[in-house]
Amino acid sequence: MTETTGDPLTFDRAASEYREGRPPYPEEMFDFLGKLGALRSGSRVLEIGPGTGIATRQLIGRGASVVAVEVGETFADRLRVDFQRDDCVVLQQDASIFLPREGSFDAVVAATSLHWIDRSALPNLVRGLVPGGWFCAWWTVYHDPDIDTAFQAGVHDLYRRHLPDYQVDLRSGPRPLQVADRADELAGAGLRDVRWKWFRWSTSLTGAQLRMLYSTFPAIENRPAQTRERFLTDLVSLVGGDDASVEVHYVTALYAGRR
């Protein structure tokens, strides 16, 4: 599954579930950003839509200093508690109207958040980059379209039964993996040398962890409580209970362009 467009404050209302349920991004991707020159020790990074700070923590771990612009009050408050350090500043503001000082950042990053940003605001964010600085956006798709598993077929069936009006993207191609459209968005913001790379990875999750993860997806979180609970209960049953586990396959799709 992938994120859907809508109200970014959906996630702020589910901050605890998001914090516990969402996995970190693959370290291989941060290695690639380092080789690209987009991330190094001492890099000044503007992160838009950090949420609970999953990528923030990984960026700081690579030696970056981060200015995190988060619209959600609950998320921003938690970020300030979690990152009480000189190399992280948290601003509660809508990134769509945030105006960074020109040339003040080595990189601008959006970790599973660019879809919440008004496209007309992207040139303003790009101007915050130093010449040659990188704008990087990535998303994790919570299934690998090229790998068929009994678990994923079961999830597809749950969507069909419990959320028949929701257009599941297992067959049509998730939005983050639509390369031409995503690359055009960056090029349209005035970026050059636009490139992309996918990182395929897998992890083992218990039924309880899957419940937490799927409860953060807007297509499920925004449903009536009874519908949401039926879906999540059947999801846990699909793997054999809270303590049973299953291997799940993900794709993290990265897009990057230079000012």
Side-chain angles (χ1 to χ4, degrees), residues 26-68:
E27 290 297 330
E28 182 187 4
M29 184 191 71
F30 292 96
D31 292 340
F32 177 78
L33 290 176
K35 293 175 183 175
L36 200 62
L39 179 64
R40 60 176 67 90
S41 180
S43 290
R44 299 163 299 166
V45 177
L46 171 63
E47 183 183 5
I48 57 177
T52 59
I54 294 170
T56 315
R57 186 168 286 104
Q58 292 176 281
L59 291 164
I60 291 173
R62 297 293 177 125
S65 61
V66 177
V67 173

CSV table of all heavy atoms in Angstrom, one decimal, residues 26-68:
chain,number,residue,atom,x,y,z
A,26,PRO,N,15.7,2.3,4.5
A,26,PRO,CA,16.9,1.4,4.3
A,26,PRO,C,18.2,2.2,4.4
A,26,PRO,O,18.3,3.3,3.7
A,26,PRO,CB,16.7,0.7,2.9
A,26,PRO,CG,15.7,1.6,2.2
A,26,PRO,CD,14.8,2.2,3.3
A,27,GLU,N,19.2,1.8,5.1
A,27,GLU,CA,20.4,2.4,5.2
A,27,GLU,C,21.1,2.5,3.9
A,27,GLU,O,21.9,3.5,3.7
A,27,GLU,CB,21.3,1.8,6.3
A,27,GLU,CG,20.8,1.9,7.7
A,27,GLU,CD,20.8,3.4,8.2
A,27,GLU,OE1,21.7,4.2,7.7
A,27,GLU,OE2,20.0,3.7,9.0
A,28,GLU,N,20.9,1.6,3.0
A,28,GLU,CA,21.5,1.6,1.7
A,28,GLU,C,21.1,2.9,0.9
A,28,GLU,O,21.9,3.4,0.2
A,28,GLU,CB,21.0,0.4,0.9
A,28,GLU,CG,21.6,0.2,-0.5
A,28,GLU,CD,20.9,-0.9,-1.3
A,28,GLU,OE1,20.0,-1.5,-0.8
A,28,GLU,OE2,21.4,-1.1,-2.4
A,29,MET,N,19.9,3.4,1.2
A,29,MET,CA,19.5,4.6,0.5
A,29,MET,C,20.3,5.8,1.0
A,29,MET,O,20.8,6.7,0.2
A,29,MET,CB,18.0,4.9,0.8
A,29,MET,CG,17.5,6.1,0.0
A,29,MET,SD,15.8,6.6,0.5
A,29,MET,CE,16.2,7.3,2.2
A,30,PHE,N,20.6,5.9,2.3
A,30,PHE,CA,21.4,6.9,2.8
A,30,PHE,C,22.9,6.8,2.4
A,30,PHE,O,23.6,7.8,2.1
A,30,PHE,CB,21.3,7.0,4.4
A,30,PHE,CG,20.0,7.4,4.8
A,30,PHE,CD1,19.0,6.4,5.2
A,30,PHE,CD2,19.6,8.7,4.9
A,30,PHE,CE1,17.8,6.8,5.6
A,30,PHE,CE2,18.3,9.1,5.4
A,30,PHE,CZ,17.4,8.1,5.7
A,31,ASP,N,23.3,5.6,2.2
A,31,ASP,CA,24.7,5.4,1.6
A,31,ASP,C,24.7,6.0,0.2
A,31,ASP,O,25.7,6.7,-0.2
A,31,ASP,CB,25.0,3.9,1.5
A,31,ASP,CG,25.2,3.2,2.8
A,31,ASP,OD1,25.5,3.9,3.8
A,31,ASP,OD2,25.1,2.0,2.9
A,32,PHE,N,23.6,5.8,-0.6
A,32,PHE,CA,23.5,6.3,-1.9
A,32,PHE,C,23.5,7.8,-1.9
A,32,PHE,O,24.2,8.5,-2.7
A,32,PHE,CB,22.3,5.7,-2.6
A,32,PHE,CG,22.1,6.3,-4.0
A,32,PHE,CD1,22.8,5.8,-5.1
A,32,PHE,CD2,21.1,7.3,-4.2
A,32,PHE,CE1,22.6,6.3,-6.4
A,32,PHE,CE2,20.9,7.8,-5.5
A,32,PHE,CZ,21.7,7.3,-6.6
A,33,LEU,N,22.8,8.4,-1.0
A,33,LEU,CA,22.7,9.9,-0.9
A,33,LEU,C,24.1,10.4,-0.6
A,33,LEU,O,24.5,11.5,-1.1
A,33,LEU,CB,21.7,10.3,0.2
A,33,LEU,CG,20.3,10.1,-0.1
A,33,LEU,CD1,19.4,10.5,1.1
A,33,LEU,CD2,19.8,10.9,-1.3
A,34,GLY,N,24.9,9.7,0.2
A,34,GLY,CA,26.2,10.1,0.5
A,34,GLY,C,27.1,10.1,-0.8
A,34,GLY,O,27.9,11.0,-1.0
A,35,LYS,N,27.0,9.0,-1.5
A,35,LYS,CA,27.8,8.9,-2.8
A,35,LYS,C,27.4,10.0,-3.8
A,35,LYS,O,28.2,10.5,-4.6
A,35,LYS,CB,27.6,7.5,-3.4
A,35,LYS,CG,28.2,6.4,-2.5
A,35,LYS,CD,27.9,5.0,-3.1
A,35,LYS,CE,28.4,3.9,-2.2
A,35,LYS,NZ,28.0,2.6,-2.7
A,36,LEU,N,26.1,10.3,-3.7
A,36,LEU,CA,25.6,11.3,-4.6
A,36,LEU,C,26.1,12.7,-4.3
A,36,LEU,O,26.1,13.6,-5.1
A,36,LEU,CB,24.0,11.3,-4.6
A,36,LEU,CG,23.2,11.9,-5.7
A,36,LEU,CD1,23.5,11.2,-7.0
A,36,LEU,CD2,21.7,11.9,-5.4
A,37,GLY,N,26.5,12.9,-3.0
A,37,GLY,CA,26.9,14.2,-2.5
A,37,GLY,C,25.8,15.0,-1.9
A,37,GLY,O,26.0,16.2,-1.5
A,38,ALA,N,24.6,14.3,-1.7
A,38,ALA,CA,23.5,15.0,-1.1
A,38,ALA,C,23.5,15.0,0.4
A,38,ALA,O,22.8,15.7,1.1
A,38,ALA,CB,22.2,14.4,-1.6
A,39,LEU,N,24.3,14.1,1.0
A,39,LEU,CA,24.4,13.9,2.4
A,39,LEU,C,25.8,13.6,2.9
A,39,LEU,O,26.4,12.6,2.4
A,39,LEU,CB,23.4,12.8,2.8
A,39,LEU,CG,23.3,12.5,4.3
A,39,LEU,CD1,22.8,13.7,5.1
A,39,LEU,CD2,22.4,11.3,4.5
A,40,ARG,N,26.3,14.4,3.8
A,40,ARG,CA,27.6,14.1,4.3
A,40,ARG,C,27.7,14.7,5.7
A,40,ARG,O,26.8,15.5,6.1
A,40,ARG,CB,28.7,14.7,3.4
A,40,ARG,CG,28.6,16.3,3.3
A,40,ARG,CD,29.8,16.8,2.5
A,40,ARG,NE,29.7,16.4,1.1
A,40,ARG,CZ,29.1,17.0,0.2
A,40,ARG,NH1,28.4,18.2,0.5
A,40,ARG,NH2,29.1,16.6,-1.1
A,41,SER,N,28.7,14.4,6.5
A,41,SER,CA,28.9,15.0,7.8
A,41,SER,C,29.0,16.5,7.7
A,41,SER,O,29.7,17.0,6.9
A,41,SER,CB,30.1,14.4,8.4
A,41,SER,OG,30.3,15.0,9.7
A,42,GLY,N,28.1,17.2,8.4
A,42,GLY,CA,28.1,18.6,8.4
A,42,GLY,C,27.1,19.2,7.4
A,42,GLY,O,26.9,20.4,7.4
A,43,SER,N,26.4,18.4,6.6
A,43,SER,CA,25.4,18.9,5.7
A,43,SER,C,24.3,19.6,6.5
A,43,SER,O,23.8,19.2,7.5
A,43,SER,CB,24.8,17.7,4.9
A,43,SER,OG,25.7,17.2,4.0
A,44,ARG,N,23.8,20.7,5.9
A,44,ARG,CA,22.7,21.5,6.4
A,44,ARG,C,21.5,21.0,5.6
A,44,ARG,O,21.4,21.2,4.4
A,44,ARG,CB,22.9,23.0,6.3
A,44,ARG,CG,24.1,23.5,7.0
A,44,ARG,CD,24.5,24.9,6.5
A,44,ARG,NE,24.9,24.8,5.1
A,44,ARG,CZ,25.0,25.9,4.3
A,44,ARG,NH1,24.7,27.1,4.8
A,44,ARG,NH2,25.3,25.8,3.0
A,45,VAL,N,20.5,20.4,6.3
A,45,VAL,CA,19.4,19.7,5.7
A,45,VAL,C,18.1,20.3,6.1
A,45,VAL,O,17.9,20.5,7.3
A,45,VAL,CB,19.4,18.2,5.9
A,45,VAL,CG1,18.2,17.6,5.3
A,45,VAL,CG2,20.7,17.6,5.4
A,46,LEU,N,17.3,20.7,5.2
A,46,LEU,CA,15.9,21.1,5.5
A,46,LEU,C,15.0,19.9,5.2
A,46,LEU,O,15.0,19.4,4.1
A,46,LEU,CB,15.5,22.2,4.6
A,46,LEU,CG,14.0,22.6,4.6
A,46,LEU,CD1,13.6,23.2,6.0
A,46,LEU,CD2,13.7,23.7,3.5
A,47,GLU,N,14.3,19.4,6.3
A,47,GLU,CA,13.4,18.3,6.1
A,47,GLU,C,12.0,18.8,6.2
A,47,GLU,O,11.6,19.4,7.2
A,47,GLU,CB,13.7,17.2,7.2
A,47,GLU,CG,12.8,16.0,7.0
A,47,GLU,CD,12.9,14.9,8.1
A,47,GLU,OE1,13.7,15.2,9.1
A,47,GLU,OE2,12.3,13.9,7.9
A,48,ILE,N,11.2,18.5,5.2
A,48,ILE,CA,9.8,18.9,5.2
A,48,ILE,C,8.9,17.7,5.5
A,48,ILE,O,9.1,16.6,5.0
A,48,ILE,CB,9.4,19.5,3.8
A,48,ILE,CG1,9.7,18.6,2.7
A,48,ILE,CG2,10.2,20.8,3.6
A,48,ILE,CD1,9.3,19.2,1.3
A,49,GLY,N,8.0,17.9,6.5
A,49,GLY,CA,7.1,16.9,6.9
A,49,GLY,C,7.8,15.7,7.6
A,49,GLY,O,7.6,14.6,7.2
A,50,PRO,N,8.6,16.0,8.7
A,50,PRO,CA,9.3,14.9,9.3
A,50,PRO,C,8.5,13.9,10.1
A,50,PRO,O,8.9,12.8,10.5
A,50,PRO,CB,10.3,15.6,10.2
A,50,PRO,CG,9.6,16.9,10.6
A,50,PRO,CD,8.8,17.3,9.3
A,51,GLY,N,7.2,14.3,10.4
A,51,GLY,CA,6.4,13.3,11.2
A,51,GLY,C,7.0,13.1,12.6
A,51,GLY,O,7.3,14.0,13.3
A,52,THR,N,7.2,11.8,12.9
A,52,THR,CA,7.8,11.4,14.2
A,52,THR,C,9.3,11.4,14.2
A,52,THR,O,9.9,11.1,15.2
A,52,THR,CB,7.3,10.0,14.6
A,52,THR,OG1,7.7,9.1,13.7
A,52,THR,CG2,5.8,10.0,14.8
A,53,GLY,N,9.9,11.8,13.0
A,53,GLY,CA,11.4,11.9,13.0
A,53,GLY,C,12.1,10.6,12.6
A,53,GLY,O,13.3,10.4,12.9
A,54,ILE,N,11.4,9.8,11.8
A,54,ILE,CA,12.1,8.5,11.4
A,54,ILE,C,13.3,8.8,10.6
A,54,ILE,O,14.4,8.4,10.9
A,54,ILE,CB,11.1,7.6,10.6
A,54,ILE,CG1,10.0,7.1,11.5
A,54,ILE,CG2,11.8,6.4,10.0
A,54,ILE,CD1,8.8,6.5,10.8
A,55,ALA,N,13.1,9.6,9.5
A,55,ALA,CA,14.3,10.0,8.7
A,55,ALA,C,15.2,11.0,9.4
A,55,ALA,O,16.4,11.0,9.2
A,55,ALA,CB,13.8,10.6,7.4
A,56,THR,N,14.6,11.9,10.2
A,56,THR,CA,15.4,12.9,11.0
A,56,THR,C,16.5,12.2,11.7
A,56,THR,O,17.7,12.6,11.7
A,56,THR,CB,14.5,13.6,12.0
A,56,THR,OG1,13.3,14.0,11.3
A,56,THR,CG2,15.2,14.9,12.5
A,57,ARG,N,16.1,11.1,12.4
A,57,ARG,CA,17.1,10.4,13.2
A,57,ARG,C,18.2,9.8,12.4
A,57,ARG,O,19.4,9.8,12.7
A,57,ARG,CB,16.4,9.3,14.0
A,57,ARG,CG,17.3,8.6,15.0
A,57,ARG,CD,16.4,7.7,16.0
A,57,ARG,NE,15.7,8.5,17.0
A,57,ARG,CZ,14.5,8.8,16.9
A,57,ARG,NH1,13.7,8.4,15.9
A,57,ARG,NH2,13.9,9.6,17.9
A,58,GLN,N,17.8,9.3,11.2
A,58,GLN,CA,18.8,8.7,10.3
A,58,GLN,C,19.7,9.7,9.7
A,58,GLN,O,20.9,9.5,9.5
A,58,GLN,CB,18.1,7.9,9.2
A,58,GLN,CG,17.4,6.6,9.8
A,58,GLN,CD,16.6,5.8,8.8
A,58,GLN,OE1,15.5,6.2,8.5
A,58,GLN,NE2,17.2,4.7,8.3
A,59,LEU,N,19.1,10.9,9.4
A,59,LEU,CA,19.9,12.0,8.8
A,59,LEU,C,21.0,12.5,9.8
A,59,LEU,O,22.1,12.7,9.5
A,59,LEU,CB,19.0,13.2,8.4
A,59,LEU,CG,18.1,12.9,7.2
A,59,LEU,CD1,17.0,14.0,7.1
A,59,LEU,CD2,18.9,12.9,5.9
A,60,ILE,N,20.5,12.7,11.1
A,60,ILE,CA,21.4,13.2,12.1
A,60,ILE,C,22.5,12.1,12.4
A,60,ILE,O,23.7,12.4,12.6
A,60,ILE,CB,20.7,13.5,13.4
A,60,ILE,CG1,19.8,14.7,13.2
A,60,ILE,CG2,21.6,13.7,14.6
A,60,ILE,CD1,18.9,15.1,14.3
A,61,GLY,N,22.1,10.8,12.3
A,61,GLY,CA,23.1,9.8,12.4
A,61,GLY,C,24.2,9.8,11.4
A,61,GLY,O,25.3,9.2,11.6
A,62,ARG,N,23.9,10.4,10.3
A,62,ARG,CA,24.9,10.5,9.2
A,62,ARG,C,25.7,11.8,9.3
A,62,ARG,O,26.5,12.2,8.4
A,62,ARG,CB,24.2,10.4,7.8
A,62,ARG,CG,23.6,9.1,7.5
A,62,ARG,CD,24.6,8.0,7.4
A,62,ARG,NE,24.0,6.7,7.2
A,62,ARG,CZ,24.3,5.9,6.2
A,62,ARG,NH1,25.1,6.3,5.3
A,62,ARG,NH2,23.7,4.7,6.0
A,63,GLY,N,25.5,12.6,10.4
A,63,GLY,CA,26.3,13.8,10.6
A,63,GLY,C,25.6,15.1,10.2
A,63,GLY,O,26.3,16.1,10.2
A,64,ALA,N,24.4,15.0,9.7
A,64,ALA,CA,23.7,16.2,9.2
A,64,ALA,C,23.1,17.0,10.3
A,64,ALA,O,22.8,16.5,11.4
A,64,ALA,CB,22.6,15.8,8.2
A,65,SER,N,23.0,18.3,10.1
A,65,SER,CA,22.2,19.2,11.0
A,65,SER,C,20.9,19.5,10.3
A,65,SER,O,20.9,19.7,9.1
A,65,SER,CB,23.0,20.5,11.3
A,65,SER,OG,23.2,21.2,10.2
A,66,VAL,N,19.8,19.4,11.0
A,66,VAL,CA,18.5,19.3,10.4
A,66,VAL,C,17.6,20.5,10.9
A,66,VAL,O,17.5,20.7,12.1
A,66,VAL,CB,17.8,18.0,10.6
A,66,VAL,CG1,16.4,18.0,10.0
A,66,VAL,CG2,18.6,16.8,10.1
A,67,VAL,N,16.9,21.2,10.0
A,67,VAL,CA,15.8,22.0,10.3
A,67,VAL,C,14.6,21.3,9.8
A,67,VAL,O,14.4,21.0,8.6
A,67,VAL,CB,15.9,23.4,9.6
A,67,VAL,CG1,14.7,24.2,9.8
A,67,VAL,CG2,17.1,24.2,10.1
A,68,ALA,N,13.7,20.9,10.8
A,68,ALA,CA,12.6,20.1,10.5
A,68,ALA,C,11.3,20.9,10.5
A,68,ALA,O,11.0,21.5,11.6
A,68,ALA,CB,12.5,18.9,11.5
